[in-house]
Amino acid sequence: MTPRVVEATANATLANMGVGFDILGMALAEPFDTVRAERIPEPGVQIAAIKGDEGKLSRDPTRNTAGIAAAYVLRQIGAAEGVSLSLQKGLPLASGLGSSAASAVAAAVAVNALFGEPLSRPDLLAASLEGEAAVSGRHADNVAPALFGGITLVMGLTADAIHALPIPPNLHLALATPAIAVPTAEARAVLPANVSLKAMISQTAHVALLVRALHSGDLALLGAAMEGDGVIEPARAHLMRGLPEVRAAARACGALGTVISGAGPTLCSVCESAAVAERVAVAMRALYAEMGLAASVRVTVPSVGGAAWRVV
Ligand code: HSE
């Protein structure tokens, strides 16, 4: 018998990992979004409630990333019944932590589970991307790690183009999210249309170094490789107030590298232990406070396993 109510969670993601624009992403253990899906007799998707968004997200299912992903799954499986969704936002909006991707993935996983999992996990990539595309463009560097977990290399928009990369032991992350919203569309509009051959060589070298660091587990090398972005960060730096100062403060506390998370404004530091990450997070928050900016900080680790669900 298939369940009547299912709850799914999907995690925050560190898109780009600094140097890997649109091609690398890592699932983080916290924060995460939760979508509760209930089977209803009326076909289609309804959004019953959204909590934790300060009223900012659309309740119209055709304009909401979770609603769009849910409708896509219903169409794929040819469901005669519909679903009512309740969304609990654990992720801050427009913060660079993959908020729209997490909601889309959690909705796709919840609806599929509600109907007895007719689709495989890779099958759910298309629905998740459809939801994500409505808000922040069609790229899979948030959706893929949120769906599958771990660190993913994204070579394209189909499941066979997603490759798992190793997670180095002891990797801890300190996240600082200043109270400024940077919508992804805005952060993509400032990017250069062309890059020089010199920049291309440096960027690809740093991506290769990053992959090498993941395989060897060398966190210092990983931090250095992630910081090697000479294309995207310079174009976006003016949207990230205090980036050089926060990076320096984090480094002084032991951070091995600090990058913009996704399209920002969250900054993420690579650390070798929870204790170092805690110190770094406190220093980041203090630095933002000196600049007159409130910031929420968090310490987390990579998440494996991907989006999860349970019958409620
Ligand atoms: N790769 C994307 C970007 C992630 O940096 O624009 C944000 O969703």
Side-chain angles (χ1 to χ4, degrees):
M1 206 174 102
T2 48
R4 198 179 65 82
V5 186
V6 157
E7 202 168 82
T9 55
N11 296 49
T13 43
L14 173 69
N16 303 337
M17 296 181 68
V19 74
F21 178 70
D22 275 4
I23 62 166
L24 291 173
M26 171 164 54
L28 304 174
E30 288 184 15
F32 54 84
D33 278 0
T34 306
V35 171
R36 175 184 282 240
E38 180 171 358
R39 200 195 290 251
I40 54 172
E42 304 80 38
V45 179
Q46 296 176 14
I47 295 188
I50 305 179
K51 288 188 189 144
D53 70 328
E54 295 167 1
K56 289 184 183 149
L57 292 177
S58 176
R59 269 61 178 165
D60 175 350
T62 65
R63 295 162 58 87
N64 176 290
T65 172
I68 293 167
Y72 195 101
V73 172
L74 287 179
R75 281 197 304 277
Q76 272 183 306
I77 64 181
E81 297 172 284
V83 294
S84 170
L85 303 180
S86 300
L87 174 56
Q88 174 73 52
K89 288 298 301 176
L91 271 71
L93 309 183
S95 64
L97 288 169
S99 168
S100 51
S103 295
V105 166
V109 168
V111 173
N112 188 45
L114 201 55
F115 289 88
E117 294 199 290
L119 302 178
S120 70
R121 190 52 67 107
D123 289 340
L124 295 175
L125 184 67
S128 307
L129 271 172
E130 197 68 16
E132 165 82 318
V135 178
S136 60
R138 200 173 288 275
H139 49 87
D141 50 338
N142 291 112
V143 158
L147 186 60
F148 300 114
I151 300 176
T152 54
L153 167 64
V154 174
M155 300 294 294
L157 299 179
T158 50
D160 59 353
I162 310 297
H163 302 270
L165 291 170
I167 301 174
N170 302 322
L171 176 56
H172 289 74
L173 295 315
L175 305 174
T177 308
I180 39 171
V182 177
T184 300
E186 200 179 304
R188 290 179 86 83
V190 301
L191 299 179
N194 299 293
V195 297
S196 68
L197 185 64
K198 192 174 166 211
M200 188 277 282
I201 293 168
S202 174
Q203 201 82 356
T204 47
H206 280 93
V207 171
L209 188 67
L210 187 155
V211 174
R212 163 86 182 125
L214 293 179
H215 279 274
S216 67
D218 184 334
L219 296 181
L221 198 63
L222 177 64
M226 286 170 69
E227 277 192 352
D229 170 20
V231 175
I232 307 299
E233 187 187 299
R236 287 179 169 170
H238 66 285
L239 299 171
M240 317 293 154
R241 259 183 72 197
L243 170 57
E245 294 85 356
V246 174
R247 176 175 277 154
R251 182 162 292 276
C253 292
L256 300 168
T258 299
V259 297
I260 302 168
S261 177
T266 297
L267 299 185
C268 175
S269 292
V270 173
C271 304
E272 64 191 2
S273 70
V276 172
E278 294 285 355
R279 275 203 303 277
V280 167
V282 169
M284 288 166 125
R285 182 168 50 205
L287 207 281
Y288 278 121
E290 270 176 37
M291 292 164 40
L293 264 182
S296 60
V297 296
R298 186 187 296 272
V299 168
T300 189
V301 291
S303 166
V304 291
W309 66 272
R310 65 188 179 100
V311 175
V312 288

